[in-house]
Amino acid sequence: MEEHKENIHGKDVNVKMSNGDEDDKLKPGSTICAKEVEDAPQASNSNFSHPVYKEIALANGHINRMSKEELRNKLSQLKLDTRGVKDVMKKRLKSHYKKQKLTQSAANEGQGDAYYDYICVVDFEATCEEDNPPDYPHEIIEFPMVLINTHTLEIVGTFQEYVKPELCPTLSDFCVKLTGITQEMVDAAKPFPVVLKRVVKWLEERELGTKYKYTFLTDGAWDMSKFLNIQCRVSQIRYPQFARKWINIRKSYGNFYKVPRTQTKLSTMLDKLGLEYEGRPHSGLDDSRNIARVALRMLQDGCQLRANEHMHAGQLLTIPSSAPLEGSPAPRWPGNRK
Ligand code: AMP
Ligand code: MG
């Protein structure tokens, strides 16, 4: 199913540095243990208020829980020396992340280019047929969001609404089977404009684009460039300004881990990171959660995920990596098309 996407284009989890072990989770709001703080560098102003120190302490905590084998694998992935006893390997890995995070943080502050506070993962499900033609008028039937706090590296919120399709209100058997979304679920749902208003409210309540810098993240370009774009035309509303730029995680993953695009399907990314898909594939919310797990692991590995695609005049364009890191604008109802 993911080939299809590839070709055309409060539940909380926490990041893990090693494998998908549930035990490895830090609960949100859990305190960082003394050892982890001790391992973090001293702030020049002798306090730990800067978010980078919390990030370093969290990374140290994860490293402390890694087995020797996991440490060796991680060091090897990072092309660092893999020799030595467990404590030596731990120290080496901690130093690597500490240096990387402090350098990144200093660079960002130097440029007035602070990193996103939040990344909002979106993975739409849409009406479809088996072998639908390229001009198939997909309508969004599920609008999920999973919000990542980039400082604590936790999922801090989820949103999910099903959407009633208006052009073709009857789902194909293929679509029901693929997505697990039933006719009853969409019949009971609100049409897209109503759901979009709830989305705007949800983002506003979290002060995204006002108090906090944020951007969206998707698995491939289609969620925005195809599904949202078509849906806005069908619903006769303008394409929302706040969804014009996003991170295409497939591109980021390929560039960061230096793998070709053929190895950036969601299942492959999870597999290569030692994670298993959790939930039901093609459920928008479960897909979003799993995409978020990949994003969290990449952030943990030191990748600075940045918006790399945008929509301009109905066209999908690439954002060069040299562009300044801008957050998405505050969410707003886009208005009707004239
Ligand atoms: P996904 O995020 O991979 O679940 O896909 C998003 C949407 O793309 C689905 O809700 C379908 O509308 C469409 N889609 C995905 N895979 C297929 C497929 N094999 N055939 C037709 N449409 C598909
Ligand atoms: Mg999906």
Side-chain angles (χ1 to χ4, degrees):
M1 293 307 171
E2 284 174 42
E3 284 301 339
H4 173 87
K5 221 171 172 181
E6 179 73 17
N7 291 340
I8 48 179
H9 28 191
K11 173 172 171 171
D12 302 291
V13 296
N14 297 275
V15 86
K16 288 145 270 179
M17 299 202 63
S18 47
N19 49 31
D21 258 348
E22 288 296 302
D23 293 348
D24 214 14
K25 288 180 178 178
L26 259 180
K27 293 284 169 271
S30 65
T31 49
I32 300 164
C33 75
K35 174 82 179 101
E36 288 150 16
V37 177
E38 211 179 89
D39 284 338
Q42 280 293 329
S44 53
N45 59 1
S46 299
N47 71 41
F48 296 105
S49 60
H50 193 288
V52 73
Y53 296 103
K54 182 157 189 205
E55 285 175 33
I56 293 168
L58 279 168
N60 287 345
H62 289 295
I63 294 168
N64 285 337
R65 286 188 290 279
M66 287 168 85
S67 69
K68 196 170 175 187
E69 194 52 33
E70 288 165 343
L71 286 164
R72 193 175 293 118
N73 288 343
K74 181 54 71 180
L75 287 168
S76 150
Q77 250 179 39
L78 292 166
K79 304 219 174 347
L80 297 171
D81 195 339
T82 56
R83 288 170 300 178
V85 296
K86 197 173 171 189
D87 280 348
V88 169
M89 288 197 281
K90 269 192 199 173
K91 182 74 190 165
R92 190 176 299 135
L93 197 52
K94 284 179 186 175
S95 302
H96 169 81
Y97 284 113
K98 175 174 129 185
K99 195 169 153 200
Q100 190 180 51
K101 285 183 185 295
L102 287 176
T103 311
Q104 206 169 67
S105 162
N108 287 346
E109 278 174 17
Q111 297 162 12
D113 193 20
Y115 193 59
Y116 313 113
D117 298 300
Y118 291 94
I119 292 176
C120 187
V121 180
V122 175
D123 185 85
F124 296 120
E125 297 307 322
T127 55
C128 57
E129 308 273 354
E130 194 157 14
D131 302 322
N132 34 228
D135 58 352
Y136 186 83
H138 294 279
E139 290 177 84
I140 291 174
I141 53 173
E142 183 183 351
F143 199 139
M145 292 187 283
V146 168
L147 193 62
I148 295 174
N149 178 322
T150 64
H151 302 299
T152 61
L153 298 181
E154 290 168 350
I155 289 175
V156 289
T158 59
F159 173 98
Q160 182 192 35
E161 286 252 0
Y162 294 107
V163 186
K164 188 202 284 281
E166 295 187 278
L167 223 49
C168 303
T170 308
L171 300 183
S172 67
D173 292 344
F174 175 80
C175 183
V176 172
K177 211 164 155 201
L178 180 79
T179 63
I181 299 170
T182 64
Q183 189 62 47
E184 294 72 37
M185 284 152 98
V186 292
D187 284 346
K190 297 288 180 204
F192 186 76
V194 178
V195 174
L196 186 62
K197 280 183 184 146
R198 293 179 182 173
V199 166
V200 168
K201 184 164 174 275
W202 192 85
L203 297 167
E204 273 173 356
E205 283 167 0
R206 281 151 188 82
E207 300 182 89
L208 301 177
T210 48
K211 184 169 178 186
Y212 299 109
K213 191 164 176 171
Y214 82 113
T215 198
F216 289 94
L217 181 148
T218 59
D219 173 32
W222 266 32
D223 290 275
M224 303 304 194
S225 71
K226 190 172 177 99
F227 299 132
L228 184 59
N229 203 25
I230 294 176
Q231 183 63 60
C232 288
R233 266 188 267 138
V234 169
S235 298
Q236 289 290 300
I237 54 180
R238 293 206 186 100
Y239 186 93
Q241 196 65 32
F242 62 89
R244 282 202 185 274
K245 292 185 182 175
W246 66 89
I247 300 165
N248 175 346
I249 197 168
R250 293 185 182 206
K251 271 192 185 174
S252 311
Y253 182 97
N255 291 337
F256 185 66
Y257 295 113
K258 307 271 180 282
V259 297
R261 285 300 294 279
T262 49
Q263 286 179 39
T264 60
K265 286 189 291 178
L266 178 56
S267 56
T268 312
M269 292 192 286
L270 285 165
D271 188 45
K272 296 286 177 216
L273 293 172
L275 303 168
E276 276 182 24
Y277 188 97
E278 288 174 0
R280 185 195 188 287
H282 304 292
S283 141
L285 186 58
D286 287 348
D287 281 353
S288 303
R289 279 204 185 100
N290 284 282
I291 296 163
R293 290 168 69 220
V294 172
L296 283 166
R297 180 63 72 90
M298 291 179 70
L299 291 168
Q300 188 84 47
D301 278 350
C303 174
Q304 195 191 50
L305 291 164
R306 300 169 74 100
N308 51 19
E309 286 185 338
H310 73 131
M311 287 293 287
H312 181 72
Q315 295 291 310
L316 170 66
L317 299 173
T318 294
I319 301 177
S321 56
S322 55
L325 192 143
E326 286 170 6
S328 294
R332 240 169 33 103
W333 169 249
N336 294 327
R337 275 173 196 245
K338 298 252 162 68

